[in-house]
Amino acid sequence: MSRFQILTAAEMEAARESGRILRSCLEEVSRRAVPGVTTGELDRIAEDFIRSHGGEPAFKGYHGYPASLCVSVNDECVHGIPGARIVKEGDVIGLDCGVFFGGICTDACRTVIAGDASPRAAELVAATSRALEDACAIIRSGIRVGDISSRVQHSVEGAGFKCVYALTGHGLGKTLHQYPDIPNVGEAHTGPMVPAYTLLAVEPITSMGSDAIREGDDGWTIHTRDGAVAAHFEHTVLVLPEGHEILA
Ligand code: MF3
Ligand code: CO
């Protein structure tokens, strides 16, 4: 028995619509991530957007997570909780969000820079986005998870940055996190073989400094241990017999 969740045609349609809502939500939130806005306002914008388009925020209440959006600023890698924090010029902001529609979940993240970016931050963000696109480009049924991991790793390291190895992508579908883990480092031709009609969340998380992490006092936020700036991009990808669709 495969541990992958194979979607029906109707579930794939739901996944596409879930992804459309999530993509437009992230576009809207990215536009609003400018100096002066609070991270809590960005969360409210995301939640209102999702609900008004017929979706449900997938993160809210997930293992007790209190918001619809993760907003991870500068040294925060993932799972930053939005609140009173005011976005400043040059902040590097991960905007990670999930949507349920028709019983199917999609999960995606973009990192944006508020206002004027430092050249090094802009490089990290571009390299992380490129690593995600490089890795997703090879996805089709029959590839192995290590093929994806290896592409992410080589792309990020080739640009002179590090993957935060402890944080991985994952399968998803009727739930947000499921089999398999998709590490951001690994060897081609190893790991589980990916079947068609499944969803994968591929998500490189990178650092300008060391790849070591620490957990914040709120029990959610993951920081780089050395305080280095981190970036995070994530797509939900539908695996098909001859290729893939990027849903969000
Ligand atoms: N995209 C995040 C991940 O895959 C989802 C965060 S779940 C939350 O880890 F509960 F923290 F929101
Ligand atoms: Co994810």
Side-chain angles (χ1 to χ4, degrees), residues 59 79 96 107-108 168-170 172 176-177 201-203 232 234:
F59 293 180
H79 302 168
D96 188 356
D107 178 8
T168 73
H170 50 94
L172 71 173
L176 173 58
H177 289 130
V202 182
E203 48 181 321
H232 177 199
E234 176 176 20

Side-chain angles (χ1 to χ4, degrees), residues 18-20 22-23 106-108 110 234-237 246-248:
S18 173
R20 276 191 287 270
L22 178 51
R23 256 192 342 253
T106 53
D107 178 8
R110 322 271 185 261
E234 176 176 20
H235 282 320
T236 293
V237 183
I246 291 178
L247 302 188

